[in-house]
Amino acid sequence: MNKRHFLQAGATVLGTAWLSHYLLGRSEVMAISNNEFEVQKTEQEWRTILTPEQYKVLRQHGTERAHTSPLDKEYDKGTYLCAACDLPLFTSDTKFNSGTGWPSFFQPIEGAIATTVDKSLFMTRTEVHCHRCGGHLGHVFDDGPKPTGKRYCMNGVSLKFIEG
């Protein structure tokens, strides 16, 4: 009986370690790949200029809670910038109400974003990040409106809105 409990406990520990890799995803990737981007800062410098929630999303691939960003319901004319480096990412002309609770766009400004494959949370998604600083912005899906059919589902804390 003790041997069975020992084997079950060992399997549980190994399973939890393996599972945490998929659930937590790539939380430290930005620190490792920081040298690939035009804007480079140490993690301490990022922590200084970003709020804790912005840091969690932009630098650790977090996700803000749905329906918490005021930018989800922002429909004035203007430009959405990266909250970390001020690179213009999206214009208000490409914003739409997706009903998801996050600001959504059907097209980024040309050259503003880059994408990578995200295999966290037991699924394969396309991650969107800022081309200049590498900050995690959100994900892109193939269920958006015409003309692109794309839905760039962005974390509001990763964006700044400039009217005009």
Side-chain angles (χ1 to χ4, degrees):
M1 190 83 111
N2 285 337
K3 187 175 182 180
R4 183 179 347 162
H5 289 287
F6 178 76
L7 290 173
Q8 287 175 335
T12 301
V13 169
L14 288 174
T16 301
W18 176 80
L19 186 60
S20 68
H21 171 75
Y22 289 97
L23 290 176
L24 299 176
R26 307 174 313 145
S27 64
E28 297 303 321
V29 169
M30 297 315 302
I32 295 166
S33 62
N34 196 29
N35 61 357
E36 297 176 18
F37 302 101
E38 178 185 335
V39 173
Q40 297 183 36
K41 296 185 184 304
T42 66
E43 292 309 303
Q44 186 56 47
E45 289 172 318
W46 285 122
R47 286 182 189 276
T48 301
I49 66 168
L50 300 171
T51 68
E53 189 174 20
Q54 287 174 322
Y55 183 84
K56 181 182 174 195
V57 170
L58 285 158
R59 307 309 304 167
Q60 295 182 314
H61 301 265
T63 301
E64 71 184 345
R65 281 190 3 232
H67 305 286
T68 60
S69 173
L71 294 182
D72 183 35
K73 301 299 182 200
E74 176 64 63
Y75 291 102
D76 288 338
K77 289 279 187 196
T79 305
Y80 293 83
L81 313 176
C82 174
C85 73
D86 293 331
L87 179 68
L89 302 169
F90 299 94
T91 65
S92 58
D93 295 337
T94 64
K95 188 170 191 293
F96 69 99
N97 184 357
S98 66
T100 61
W102 289 281
S104 296
F105 306 85
F106 61 81
Q107 183 174 346
I109 294 172
E110 189 171 334
I113 61 128
T115 60
T116 55
V117 175
D118 176 0
K119 292 189 176 188
S120 64
L121 301 174
F122 299 109
M123 58 184 129
T124 301
R125 301 177 290 173
T126 302
E127 177 192 351
V128 176
H129 57 90
C130 174
H131 178 75
R132 186 177 359 194
C133 72
H136 170 76
L137 304 171
H139 294 86
V140 62
F141 303 95
D142 291 324
D143 61 359
K146 292 180 181 182
T148 64
K150 301 290 185 186
R151 174 175 51 97
Y152 289 84
C153 190
M154 303 293 99
N155 289 286
V157 297
S158 68
L159 305 173
K160 289 182 192 175
F161 177 70
I162 305 296
E163 240 181 280

